[in-house]
Amino acid sequence: MKVTFIGLGTMGIGMSLNVLKAGHEVTVHNRTRQKEEAVAKEGAKRADSPRQAAEGAEIIVTMVSDTPDVEAVVLGEEGIIHGAPQGAIVIDMSTISPAATRQVAEALGKKGIKMLDAPVSGGPEGAQQGTLAIMVGGDSADFEKALPILEIMGKTVTHVGPIGAGQITKAINQIIISGTYLTVAEGLSLGMKAGLDMKKVIAAISGGAASSWVLHNRGINVVNNTYPLGFRVKLHHKDLQIALDTARELAVTLPATALVAQIENGLIARGYGDDDVSAIGRSIREQSGLK
Ligand code: NAP
């Protein structure tokens, strides 16, 4: 298939390389053009703008940062909407607002262009290894058409409902992991204060009920007090805002999510917004007097 990727950041680079290596005809565009080089070296075509990248494409994947960025690359002056052929499917795999997703899909729909929202979980490791969890919203027929491409990028690909449902599912994912990041930081800080061998502690509890992706993959960051990417604090904070806005619309109470968002406010204010989100551990360590 002819597949276009817009956004070759931490996630988009691995995802596009996997689709290319699976034998599809890939075109890429990234705002910072230099980031296109790694995929171009493997055989992808480069395009000068999202509009040009969308011309002739059957599938157009967007993997950019936030809601205004998706609006810019899809609906902007040089946006996908001006280049994509009728019947093409835009798959937005960024994590953005469900309400804005529905508006973007409506604008595309008026030009005969389809849209799926397909945010992901699993980090850069999952992007590189093609093992992401992908939660998809949109029409069933579009989902079936896009499935072979999504299955290259993800191990679990689930059609959860109509357009926007993927983003709501991702908000649920972010709500759940926010509590896990916080409690992993709390538990490990307690162990360090008690002077335990934390590698042994993590090994001891990893096979039991406290096991989680966060403990397994990011617990060591809290122990070492270094937070390499990963997933930026700033981006997770953006996701929690999406969750809190959606909770307000639906009249749902999210006390733990609101607490973690406040801790992240403090991290961003102190210049740690580009650290991995496990830097929540930095706050708990500092408040516990750990060096
Ligand atoms: P990232 O490393 O910051 O990359 C974002 C990419 O989007 C960059 O290539 C950037 O271009 C491009 N971009 C941003 N705004 C743009 C705009 N207005 N116009 C054109 N291009 C724009 O982010 P990421 O970690 O790959 O995350 C991408 C999305 O996936 C986010 O929505 C994030 O929440 C979600 N996500 C991330 C992870 C993770 O672990 N990293 C996991 C799951 C989901 P430049 O290179 O020019 O800056």
Side-chain angles (χ1 to χ4, degrees):
M1 287 181 105
K2 290 185 177 169
V3 185
T4 284
F5 277 84
I6 313 285
L8 303 172
T10 312
M11 298 295 285
I13 188 89
M15 293 159 68
S16 57
L17 277 169
N18 285 336
V19 172
L20 184 68
K21 285 177 187 158
H24 294 279
E25 208 178 301
V26 170
T27 301
V28 293
H29 173 76
N30 194 71
R31 181 174 58 186
T32 306
R33 301 293 310 276
Q34 184 198 346
K35 290 189 193 166
E36 294 165 6
E37 283 165 12
V39 203
K41 217 166 60 191
E42 301 297 322
K45 284 190 208 144
R46 297 173 69 167
D48 291 338
S49 64
R51 177 188 57 71
Q52 194 189 85
E55 283 167 7
E58 294 164 275
I59 303 270
I60 301 140
V61 175
T62 50
M63 194 53 169
V64 295
S65 311
D66 199 354
T67 304
D69 306 311
V70 172
E71 288 168 342
V73 299
V74 178
L75 306 177
E77 221 168 278
E78 280 297 304
I80 291 164
I81 195 166
H82 304 298
Q86 277 202 6
I89 304 174
V90 173
I91 311 178
D92 178 36
M93 304 189 76
S94 331
T95 303
I96 68 160
S97 145
T101 295
R102 289 188 284 267
Q103 285 164 9
V104 171
E106 201 183 322
L108 287 170
K110 285 183 184 151
K111 306 241 340 202
I113 304 162
K114 321 277 189 170
M115 179 167 174
L116 297 169
D117 56 312
V120 307
S121 174
E125 299 94 330
Q128 279 154 25
Q129 292 157 18
T131 55
L132 293 166
I134 309 180
M135 34 225 117
V136 190
D139 288 348
S140 298
D142 300 334
F143 174 74
E144 290 304 328
K145 204 169 155 194
L147 192 56
I149 300 300
L150 293 170
E151 280 178 334
I152 296 166
M153 296 184 268
K155 192 165 69 176
T156 332
V157 184
T158 314
H159 185 209
V160 287
I163 190 79
Q167 295 295 354
I168 294 177
T169 307
K170 172 72 193 215
I172 297 166
N173 183 84
Q174 298 306 69
I175 290 165
I176 292 172
I177 64 165
S178 65
T180 313
Y181 277 107
L182 178 58
T183 51
V184 164
E186 289 184 359
L188 298 185
S189 295
L190 185 82
M192 284 184 276
K193 246 354 217 331
L196 300 186
D197 178 334
M198 294 312 294
K199 286 199 178 130
K200 284 191 182 158
V201 170
I202 292 174
I205 60 178
S206 282
S211 172
S212 67
W213 186 95
V214 174
L215 177 65
H216 195 67
N217 293 286
R218 301 289 184 255
I220 198 68
N221 291 359
V222 180
V223 176
N224 294 338
N225 204 26
T226 54
Y227 306 96
L229 288 177
F231 183 46
R232 284 173 225 282
V233 171
K234 272 195 262 189
L235 287 179
H236 188 252
H237 189 253
K238 173 255 310 178
D239 295 354
L240 294 191
Q241 198 53 54
I242 293 168
L244 292 167
D245 289 345
T246 308
R248 181 178 286 201
E249 281 164 32
L250 299 174
V252 176
T253 175
L254 303 181
T257 307
L259 172 62
V260 174
Q262 290 300 314
I263 293 171
E264 290 180 351
N265 273 348
L267 286 169
I268 293 166
R270 286 181 291 144
Y272 299 125
D274 287 320
D275 278 4
D276 183 72
V277 67
S278 50
I280 288 167
R282 191 192 290 280
S283 271
I284 303 303
R285 286 181 60 116
E286 282 172 9
Q287 286 170 41
S288 308
L290 280 160
K291 292 277 178 283

